[in-house]
Amino acid sequence: MQNLPNSNPLHPSSGLASVQRCAHRIFVLCFALILLVGIPSFSPGANLPLGGYNEPTIAVNPNDSNNIAYISLHELRVSTDGGATFQPPVYRKLPDSHLSGWDPSVAFDSQGRLFWAYVAHTNDFEDRDLFLAQCDPTTGEVLEGYPVNLTLNL
């Protein structure tokens, strides 16, 4: 009977198992390095506790790299000094017909206008709607007339 190579891709003799072992070793070494030296800070010497929780996102104004917007699940904060400091949080606005929201997103357009989008469900949990707010790019405050329920306009 002829000896054939093992066709199981996870068998120790296969190339895939070797790659997986190597990837695991790299992961363990990186994790150990983070434990030894800490998570690197990208700001000049300080970590800023921005608060909030879940689904953090940042955006940088294409016309002014010192203008940075940060959102978490329920709040928006803006920096005008490259992230050294941030304005107090601005909380998401919803009409009385809606209870809570999720899936926030933030972006600057090519003109430096700041937009904040999020999904929210109605108080009876029957419907979900997409909201869009234009915000002041220096304070994060939601501008008059916003948010707009985009789902109603479909």
Side-chain angles (χ1 to χ4, degrees):
M1 178 179 262
Q2 182 181 8
N3 286 335
L4 297 174
N6 192 318
S7 62
N8 179 352
L10 298 179
H11 189 272
S13 67
S14 75
L16 180 60
S18 176
V19 170
Q20 288 174 329
R21 284 191 304 276
C22 182
H24 181 261
R25 287 181 186 130
I26 291 171
F27 172 78
V28 169
L29 289 172
C30 289
F31 186 71
L33 184 61
I34 288 172
L35 289 177
L36 288 173
V37 298
I39 297 174
S41 170
F42 296 103
S43 62
N47 287 322
L48 295 176
L50 294 175
Y53 61 96
N54 291 338
E55 304 181 19
T57 305
I58 62 167
V60 178
N61 187 332
N63 301 319
D64 179 4
S65 61
N66 285 317
N67 189 196
I68 301 169
Y70 157 81
I71 59 169
S72 65
L73 191 57
H74 303 291
E75 64 187 45
L76 166 71
R77 297 186 74 176
V78 174
S79 173
T80 57
D81 58 11
T85 62
F86 281 81
Q87 296 291 326
V90 173
Y91 295 96
R92 181 189 59 233
K93 291 184 178 182
L94 291 171
D96 292 339
S97 60
H98 288 71
L99 185 58
S100 71
W102 61 92
D103 292 341
S105 185
V106 66
F108 287 94
D109 71 2
S110 63
Q111 297 175 14
R113 295 178 297 190
L114 178 60
F115 294 93
W116 183 9
Y118 43 88
V119 177
H121 62 77
T122 54
N123 292 335
D124 59 8
F125 294 89
E126 292 296 319
D127 294 312
R128 293 169 188 86
D129 294 314
L130 177 61
F131 289 88
L132 179 69
Q134 184 176 352
C135 302
D136 183 310
T138 60
T139 65
E141 290 296 326
V142 176
L143 299 181
E144 188 68 34
Y146 289 93
V148 173
N149 185 338
L150 298 177
T151 309
L152 293 177
N153 297 319
L154 294 178

